Each structure stands twice: as structure tokens, then as C-alpha cells.
Amino acid sequence: MELDAFKHDLFLKYSALKRLLPCFLIILTNVAARSEPPGTEFDPILSNAINSELQRTELRAGWQGVMIMRLSDSKILYEHDAHHVFLPASNNKILTSAAALEILGKDFKYKTRLCAASKVSQNGVLHGNLVLIGSGDPLLSPNNLKEIAQRVRKSGIRKITGALYYDDLLFDRQRYGDTWAWDDMDFYYSAQISALNINENMIFIQPHPGKSNGYPLRFDVGPVTGYVQIKNTATTGSAGSKSSLNITRLPGLNTILISGSIPVDIKPDKNLPVGVTVENPSRYAAYMLQKYLLADGVHIRQNIFEAQSPLLSPIIIAEHVSEPLSALLRRLNKPSDNLMAECLLKTVGAKMNKQGTGGETGTGAQAARDLFKKIGLDMSELNQSDGSGLSRTNYVSPSNILKLLAELSTRPDFPVFYNSLPIAGVDGTLKNRMKGTAAEKNCHAKTGYVSHASSLSGYVTSKDGILLGFSILMNNHLCPNKICTQTQDHIIDLLANYTFEHK
């Protein structure tokens, strides 16, 4: 009887434990899932306010990662899923900027050169070829090429017996970043990448309505004609009709299709030039230079060819030098320029290994990874596939971005990076955000957006003058992007109004 009673008692205890086991598992799971590290004490008022923003109904389908740090002592003020990896979109340009600053230096400049293999004869004849050599300058303009052509004329050259070659050998021929969408390739933000760029590798189409309804659409092409073929089926619509103009480029070709219509009475501010990317921007640059040389009275007997090897013992006829990197970074980060980001990453690769390559296994990305590892980023939470963030195989954690932002804030050239970032309510991609809040003219941060991914990372000063670093990465949301940007802006406003008094 005593043994039966013992068994019965043991059975009751086992049953009770079995009922409690799920509760213990839930508790253990919740502890393990806490985003903050053990022992971290966050301000409950700030934490609750940020949690409330992240718990908006529209965001529940997606993933949000946030980390906020007081930079003076690296104290984490808040974190949520900060060690998960996210698509950073253009927050990837923070990584590219850091690598360029460290490896190239703030005073680095691009040099585009027009060279010859022999001297000019006394009668102004160059017996040989001209070679246009690119170093990756993403902002080389038609006016820069005009100046180069003018210097050729001033050097005494009137006739070239050879051809005009273009040398873009400093970079590889991978014209697009890894996994870029094929149907984006005629848009400005997907311009081909080259060591010899011109006009941001675009040509512009200016449409004009015909005399009246039904007439064919007219158009101008600039900055030069002849490089692209135009197939125009567009017409003029009736007064007050809705514009349906569509301008695209056929993949892999310099054939531009113009279709649809614009109203006969379209207003000038509604009829702006349309930029379309070109195929083979290196040849486009040489073609443009040839046009300018001919206009200046310099005759080239042969045509345009691609250089297969570097010119030996070149004689520099003319040279264009870019602005320093300190200025280029402002042109990168404030408007979020993809072409510049890709050229900078490949330039980093060229500096480290003679030829610039991009992509996940490229020398530029590898040089950047070596830098990030040295700084102390967790390499298991980072994969950089391109320079701009357009690729959908870029992954990084908020923790890693914040570590990099914190490291940059300790560098002597920090003002170069800080001043390159958009300023809330003032300029760049933050020009129209956070106006009328404590973050206006205060927050310096990099935005980011590709479909279903939105990000904002940078710096903001608290109400009592303390510099804070933050990273907010948001993925897989199905709501409009403005919901994400509103959430980001509200969080930054909370930080701008935050004070450490009595804490």
C-alpha cells in the first residue's frame, strides 16, 4: 500500500510539472529572444516610445532592426533585433564611403587623360593614335571633354593620322552590380559602370509636341546626336489630354523607343528632358570627344576603337582633374548617387590590386571587408555585393552599421563624412523630412530605399547636446514606404528631444 501511495504521489508531481513545462519554455524563449544584452538597462520611457512606433499595425508583416548609441562612451540606449541582417538599400553607401575614405583618402582626385604615343610634328600632324584614358571619374561632364578638345587645339594639333582609342582598362567589364534588375537598366539609377564615364552615362531626350492633335512627336537629343538610334512612334495629343509618353532603351542596344503621346498644350515644367542610360559609356565618351575635336578643327583620319592594353610611354596632351574625395562624398551621399558609389568601390579595388572589380568577390569589396574586420565589425552579419545598395544580396546588421558610424566619429576626417550626409529638412534625400521638429538641421543621416526595404542611419544630437548614433533598417514591409519613413522620423525626433539629465 505504501508503494502504491508513493507511485500515486509521483504521478501527481509529474503531471503538475508536465503542465508547467510549456510555461517554463515560454519564459526561456522570451529571455533568449530579448534583443537587448543581459544586464542592459534602457530608459523605459524612451524604450516604450520607440516600441510603440515599431508596433504600428502597418509594420507587423515586416522586420525592423534598430540600434541607438551614445557615442561618447558607446552606451547602448536601445536595440531591437540589432544583430539580424537586413537589406540596407542605400545605407550600403555608408560602407562604401568608409572604405573610400580609409583607402583612397579625403584628398584623392580622379584624372582623365588624353594621351599620344608620339610628339606632334611642326606642321600640326600627330602621326599615330590618341588615347582617352579613364580612371573612374563618375562626374566627367561634356564640358570637361570640350575643355580637353580645346587643349588639343591649343597644343598645335590639327590632324591625327591614326584613330581615337578609349582606355577603360582600370576597371573590369562588369557593367552592372550583382543581381541588379534587368528592367531597371535604362533608368538613371542603374547606369552602366565604367572607368571612363561621361554625362553620368546618360543621354537626354527632349520631346516637343507637333503642330496639332495627331502630329508626330518631335524631339531633341543631347548632349550629342548620332550615338543612339531613335525609333519614334509617339504622337501629339489634344489640348488638355493626359500625357502617356514612354521612353525606353532596348536591352544591350543603343536603340531608344519613344511611344505614347503628350498634349499639344503641355506646359514646359511638365515637359522636362528624359534621361536614358547608354550602352558602353566608354565608347560614348570617345564618340563625344571626337565630335568636339572635329568642331574645333582637329581632324581624325580613322575611327574609334577600344584599347586592348595600356599605352606605353604616353605623352599627356590634356588632362582633367576631378574635385577631391571630400567633395565627391557629398555628391555621393546627399543625392544618393549609385554610379558614384560603384565607381568608388571599384577605385578602392584598383588602388589595392591594379584593376578595380566589383561584386561580392571583387577586390574593392574584399578591401572593404578587410577594413571592416580590422575595425571590429561582425563579419557573420555582413555581405557587401555592390557599392550602392541596389543589389538585393547586400546584407548588414544595424549593430554593424552603428559600429562603423561610431568608429568614423573618432577619426580625424570625421567632418568629411559627417558633412557628406543629408541634413534633415535642409538638403539631399532628407530635404523634405523632419521639418518643424527638433531633428531639423540637426540629424545627419543616410537614407535608403529599394522595394520593401527602407533604412535610415546616421547621427543626431540630443536636447542636451550629446551626439548619438543610430541605425534603423526595415525590411519586408508591404505598406507604402512613407509609413516606414514616418516611423524613422518619429524615432529620430524622440532622440533629438531626449535629455540625459537625471538619468
Side-chain angles (χ1 to χ4, degrees):
M1 293 292 295
E2 291 180 358
L3 183 59
D4 289 341
F6 172 78
K7 288 181 178 179
H8 180 69
D9 183 61
L10 186 63
F11 175 79
L12 291 177
K13 289 178 179 179
Y14 170 77
S15 300
L17 285 172
K18 189 176 180 181
R19 288 194 299 270
L20 289 172
L21 183 59
C23 299
F24 284 123
L25 290 175
I26 290 171
I27 293 170
L28 289 172
T29 301
N30 287 339
V31 169
R34 286 175 59 191
S35 57
E36 64 270 28
T40 300
E41 294 183 0
F42 297 150
D43 180 347
I45 296 177
L46 177 64
S47 295
N48 289 338
I50 295 175
N51 288 339
S52 179
E53 290 293 336
L54 298 180
Q55 290 166 5
R56 294 180 63 164
T57 302
E58 301 94 330
L59 299 177
R60 288 179 183 173
W63 297 94
Q64 332 302 333
V66 182
M67 181 175 270
I68 301 163
M69 176 190 291
R70 184 169 62 194
L71 295 174
S72 59
D73 59 0
S74 300
K75 177 178 173 58
I76 303 299
L77 304 180
Y78 177 87
E79 64 175 293
H80 172 79
D81 286 346
H83 292 279
H84 291 188
V85 295
F86 296 81
L87 283 175
S90 282
N91 268 206
N92 205 54
K93 293 182 176 74
I94 295 174
L95 307 178
T96 302
S97 297
L101 263 178
E102 175 70 15
I103 295 170
L104 303 176
K106 64 182 177 62
D107 298 321
F108 168 82
K109 296 178 181 179
Y110 286 104
K111 295 179 180 180
T112 305
R113 291 172 171 168
L114 184 64
C115 298
S118 60
K119 294 182 180 180
V120 183
S121 66
Q122 290 185 349
N123 60 354
V125 177
L126 174 64
H127 294 282
N129 303 317
L130 275 180
V131 184
L132 182 61
I133 305 172
S135 66
D137 186 350
L139 294 180
L140 189 70
S141 71
N143 284 337
N144 299 148
L145 281 188
K146 283 183 180 179
E147 291 169 0
I148 287 176
Q150 290 165 3
R151 289 175 199 164
V152 173
R153 172 81 181 184
K154 289 178 181 178
S155 73
I157 297 176
R158 298 294 181 269
K159 184 178 180 180
I160 300 162
T161 63
L164 176 59
Y165 280 80
Y166 58 90
D167 177 347
D168 60 359
L169 296 168
L170 188 65
F171 291 177
D172 64 2
R173 297 290 168 78
Q174 184 178 340
R175 301 295 194 193
Y176 298 104
D178 291 348
T179 72
W180 285 15
W182 68 268
D183 53 349
D184 283 345
M185 290 177 181
D186 51 350
F187 293 108
Y188 73 94
Y189 54 82
S190 293
Q192 291 189 4
I193 311 158
S194 172
L196 183 56
N197 308 286
I198 187 64
N199 203 44
E200 299 185 79
N201 299 341
M202 289 192 295
I203 201 161
F204 286 88
I205 311 296
Q206 175 63 69
H208 302 285
K211 292 181 180 180
S212 61
N213 182 25
Y215 272 69
L217 198 71
R218 298 177 294 111
F219 58 87
D220 296 322
V221 179
V224 294
T225 60
Y227 189 71
V228 299
Q229 179 185 9
I230 305 292
K231 293 187 176 181
N232 177 29
T233 60
T235 59
T236 304
S238 60
S241 62
K242 186 176 180 180
S243 176
S244 61
L245 185 67
N246 186 37
I247 301 179
T248 60
R249 178 173 62 84
L250 292 178
L253 300 173
N254 277 313
T255 301
I256 295 177
L257 308 180
I258 305 177
S259 59
S261 70
I262 58 174
V264 66
D265 60 345
I266 189 169
K267 296 180 179 179
D269 63 340
K270 301 293 184 182
N271 189 33
L272 301 176
V274 178
V276 183
T277 61
V278 297
E279 183 75 20
N280 195 345
S282 306
R283 185 176 181 85
Y284 181 40
Y287 178 88
M288 197 179 297
L289 177 60
Q290 183 188 51
K291 286 271 190 178
Y292 294 150
L293 286 170
L294 291 172
D296 277 344
V298 179
H299 178 72
I300 301 177
R301 178 174 293 178
Q302 298 183 40
N303 209 337
I304 298 170
F305 298 97
E306 176 186 316
Q308 300 300 318
S309 60
L311 181 65
L312 298 176
S313 303
I315 298 171
I316 299 174
I317 305 297
E319 180 180 73
H320 171 74
V321 180
S322 76
E323 294 180 299
L325 181 64
S326 55
L328 296 179
L329 285 183
R330 291 195 294 273
R331 295 288 299 270
L332 165 68
N333 287 323
K334 287 185 183 293
S336 202
D337 190 304
N338 288 349
L339 177 62
M340 180 169 287
E342 301 305 334
C343 287
L344 282 174
L345 189 62
K346 289 196 177 189
T347 304
V348 165
K351 177 72 176 291
M352 301 302 291
N353 194 35
K354 293 186 179 180
Q355 185 184 61
T357 58
E360 190 175 329
T361 59
T363 57
Q366 183 58 55
R369 279 195 292 270
D370 292 343
L371 170 64
F372 302 147
K373 186 176 180 180
K374 181 180 177 182
I375 288 173
L377 272 59
D378 186 340
M379 303 311 292
S380 68
E381 298 175 7
L382 190 152
N383 184 69
Q384 186 175 12
S385 293
D386 66 11
S388 63
L390 194 56
S391 171
R392 299 195 77 89
T393 55
N394 289 305
Y395 290 103
V396 66
S397 65
S399 173
N400 268 339
I401 288 184
L402 195 50
K403 283 180 185 177
L404 187 56
L405 291 173
E407 173 65 24
L408 289 170
S409 73
T410 68
R411 299 294 182 93
D413 53 9
F414 175 59
V416 172
F417 175 70
Y418 183 75
N419 292 326
S420 78
L421 298 172
I423 304 172
V426 175
D427 62 15
T429 53
L430 285 179
K431 183 176 182 178
N432 298 314
R433 290 175 59 176
M434 296 178 252
K435 283 184 175 290
T437 72
E440 183 178 3
K441 299 180 182 179
N442 173 354
C443 172
H444 288 57
K446 185 71 201 74
T447 57
Y449 172 73
V450 293
S451 57
H452 309 298
S454 186
S455 54
L456 185 70
S457 300
Y459 308 93
V460 65
T461 301
S462 68
K463 190 174 183 178
D464 48 356
I466 306 299
L467 186 63
L468 310 178
F470 64 87
S471 180
I472 307 171
L473 305 183
M474 310 172 76
N475 281 189
N476 295 356
H477 51 80
L478 301 180
C479 59
N481 188 54
K482 67 179 181 180
I483 301 297
C484 297
T485 58
Q486 287 172 1
T487 300
Q488 296 160 10
D489 293 355
H490 291 166
I491 292 173
I492 305 310
D493 188 36
L494 288 170
L495 300 179
N497 281 296
Y498 190 73
T499 177
F500 288 92
E501 294 179 7
H502 312 300
K503 293 182 176 63

